[in-house]
Amino acid sequence: MACAKLNAASSQWIGQQSFTQRQGSSSSTRFATRRVSFPIRAKAYNEELVQTAKTIASPGRGILAIDESNATCGKRLSSIGLDNTETNRQAYRQLLLTTPGLGEYISGAILFEETLYQSTTDGKKFVDCLRDAKIVPGIKVDKGLVPLPGSNNESWCQGLDGLASRSAEYYKQGARFAKWRTVVSIPCGPSALAVKEAAWGLARYAAISQDNGLVPIVEPEILLDGDHPIDRTLEVAEKVWSEVFFYLAENNVLFEGILLKPSMVTPGAEHKEKASPETIAKYTLTMLKRRVPPAVPGIMFLSGGQSEAEATLNLNAMNQSPNPWHVSFSYARALQNSVLKSWQGRPENIEAAQKSLLVRAKANSLAQLGKYSAEGENEEAKKGMFVKGYTY
């Protein structure tokens, strides 16, 4: 991609910066100014985007991420002895999306494309199940990670080609927000090329999503892989987010109509010393306050391989005092792990599995409000889920 070669100094090609140009001969000290005006764009969906983002970033609620690709969903199903078939994927996602009372704790659900177009076994569209529960349907729109040529064994995220037309179709189907995940690896450097490519791709995706009525979740995941200390994670996170917001602004993205899905600032998963929830909260909020404008309505953290209990405790620690944004969750494994183990693919276990989902959703709801206590958490919820080199 040619855009991978962009840098801050060369960004004037966009033609939207206002500047004063010096003119005249060397014998003259006079200056003339040439005004370059900023474009004013009235986007058709702006009011709706802001309202959607506010709805998702509502007190005590967060996002259920069930946007795993078919291959990744297959890994989840195989862990309980089920084959990776569309029927089994549908059964599992039906279990999740029809859980009674889920909307009390969940404001949005990220779906894979297959799920967006599926219905329950009774014929009710999944998007209608969500709407009835006051949950906003969302859609994963990226096409996955591929090797980034010229980098230090790093990746870039594909999917911009055809994104506008796909997004318009997703909107017609009922989706109102989107997700695009790219990654940054600390053990791989990260290289300036990889950081810039991640930031530029996210910004282009965000602009295209907003043009088609979808609130973009901006997610540059800084992977847990590595043995680095927490200070190194903070350094990289600050660099990544400064690049991301630079390019979001260059692409005229409406900040009030986006959501972020950052990693928490933690030590590398293989670092010899673990950090406490209080330390993780301190470092993470420091990074956010330095890099994220208060216009952004919601910060919906990913769990990134933390245990269910860890992800909840860390979120709770970040909500012990007021923040400029709604600080909440967008968890996949940290909401689903107990559900799968309760279900085991058996119809008679559906009710128990749905209760497991509500337990985790309520715990994270309380953490969003800063009122969670780990008292009574079972040992299963404390087991870490980090997988080195994990792919979605």
Side-chain angles (χ1 to χ4, degrees), residues 18-148:
S18 180
F19 60 92
T20 299
Q21 185 178 48
R22 181 178 294 188
Q23 296 179 335
S25 66
S26 59
S27 61
S28 173
T29 58
R30 290 175 298 174
F31 297 93
T33 60
R34 179 163 67 89
R35 296 189 180 276
V36 179
S37 60
F38 289 94
I40 298 175
R41 298 180 180 176
K43 294 185 178 180
Y45 293 103
N46 276 7
E47 290 185 10
E48 182 182 349
L49 292 168
V50 172
Q51 186 54 52
T52 298
K54 285 182 178 179
T55 298
I56 295 172
S58 54
R61 300 206 295 168
I63 294 173
L64 169 63
I66 55 170
D67 57 320
E68 303 92 350
S69 67
N70 288 347
T72 301
C73 190
K75 293 177 184 177
R76 306 270 169 88
L77 295 174
S78 68
S79 72
I80 56 171
L82 289 184
D83 292 332
N84 185 16
T85 64
E86 182 177 354
T87 299
N88 286 337
R89 293 193 298 269
Q90 178 195 30
Y92 178 52
R93 284 159 175 165
Q94 178 171 324
L95 180 161
L96 297 169
L97 298 178
T98 61
T99 297
L102 188 61
E104 184 177 350
Y105 313 116
I106 299 296
S107 55
I110 313 172
L111 310 178
F112 191 61
E113 186 177 68
E114 177 183 77
T115 316
L116 182 69
Y117 291 92
Q118 281 179 330
S119 301
T120 67
T121 50
D122 293 332
K124 185 174 183 178
K125 294 179 180 179
F126 282 152
V127 290
D128 290 336
C129 294
L130 291 171
R131 285 170 172 162
D132 289 349
K134 309 299 183 188
I135 298 172
V136 181
I139 178 69
K140 168 187 164 72
V141 298
D142 68 77
K143 293 295 185 179
L145 300 168
V146 292
L148 176 62

Side-chain angles (χ1 to χ4, degrees), residues 123-259:
K124 185 174 183 178
K125 294 179 180 179
F126 282 152
V127 290
D128 290 336
C129 294
L130 291 171
R131 285 170 172 162
D132 289 349
K134 309 299 183 188
I135 298 172
V136 181
I139 178 69
K140 168 187 164 72
V141 298
D142 68 77
K143 293 295 185 179
L145 300 168
V146 292
L148 176 62
S151 71
N152 185 27
N153 197 30
E154 295 163 287
S155 301
W156 68 281
C157 188
Q158 57 187 347
L160 290 177
D161 288 350
L163 179 58
S165 58
R166 287 191 288 120
S167 297
E169 288 300 317
Y170 296 149
Y171 184 91
K172 288 180 183 178
Q173 184 64 16
R176 289 298 178 267
F177 71 100
K179 179 202 145 175
W180 174 287
R181 172 187 178 262
T182 192
V183 301
V184 173
S185 170
I186 292 179
C188 289
S191 69
L193 173 65
V195 172
K196 205 163 297 294
E197 175 59 47
W200 178 255
L202 284 165
R204 291 304 305 140
Y205 137 77
I208 293 167
S209 295
Q210 288 190 339
D211 275 347
N212 290 281
L214 302 178
V215 169
I217 290 183
V218 179
E219 181 185 358
E221 180 178 352
I222 298 170
L223 298 172
L224 280 176
D225 303 64
D227 60 1
H228 49 276
I230 194 170
D231 290 284
R232 175 60 178 157
T233 308
L234 176 63
E235 178 185 16
V236 171
E238 288 184 353
K239 174 62 177 173
V240 169
W241 281 105
S242 67
E243 293 270 340
V244 168
F245 273 100
F246 174 80
Y247 285 119
L248 287 172
E250 289 287 282
N251 282 274
N252 300 304
V253 171
L254 177 69
F255 288 179
E256 291 87 348
I258 67 174
L259 297 166

Side-chain angles (χ1 to χ4, degrees), residues 327-341:
V327 175
S328 192
F329 59 94
S330 178
Y331 293 163
R333 285 176 286 171
L335 282 172
Q336 296 181 47
N337 193 49
S338 294
V339 178
L340 278 165
K341 292 181 178 179

